[in-house]
Amino acid sequence: MTKEMILYPLLAIVILTFFVGFLLLRLRFKAVKQDSLNPRHFLLNKGGKAPEYMVKTEQHYLNLFELPVLFYLLVVALYVTQRVDMVQLVLAWVFVFSRVIHTAIHLTINRLVWRMRAFVSGAVLLLLAWIYFGWNLITSP
């Protein structure tokens, strides 16, 4: 196993973020074209009420810049300190999986309890990864 392997889950989250970003762009065009949303809405979020499908996707896109930021930082810290191991790699991939599940739930059926479970499980995994990183940093030379 090489330390570069930790970059693959990072790449997966980046791809997920771009996917949702492009989906949002498509939905914004749809809202203007099909749902008569005034394009001025995007200046200051004024100019008509945005359709729910667009607001939901905007919300999710912003969410991908909240908790995952701590994941990005952890991956960089693991890489730089050369503390990538199988435990961190598994935690990283399971975190990515939780984010994909969270995205799928949020952008389709949007069941709040299911979405919350996916979010909390990802947050707990990320917390465990940070604790494991900190412990290894403190206890090994």
Side-chain angles (χ1 to χ4, degrees), residues 44-83:
L44 298 170
N45 290 332
K46 295 181 179 180
K49 184 171 170 32
E52 185 177 307
Y53 64 82
M54 191 186 83
V55 173
K56 178 174 63 171
T57 306
E58 283 177 338
Q59 230 180 2
H60 191 72
Y61 185 68
L62 291 175
N63 186 256
L64 287 169
F65 291 96
E66 294 171 351
L67 191 60
V69 170
L70 294 174
F71 176 71
Y72 298 143
L73 184 58
L74 176 63
V75 168
V76 170
L78 288 166
Y79 186 82
V80 168
T81 61
Q82 299 184 18
R83 299 201 184 270

Side-chain angles (χ1 to χ4, degrees), residues 35-42 44-51 54-55:
D35 295 328
S36 301
L37 181 64
N38 186 334
R40 292 187 52 79
H41 169 81
F42 300 106
L44 298 170
N45 290 332
K46 295 181 179 180
K49 184 171 170 32
M54 191 186 83
V55 173

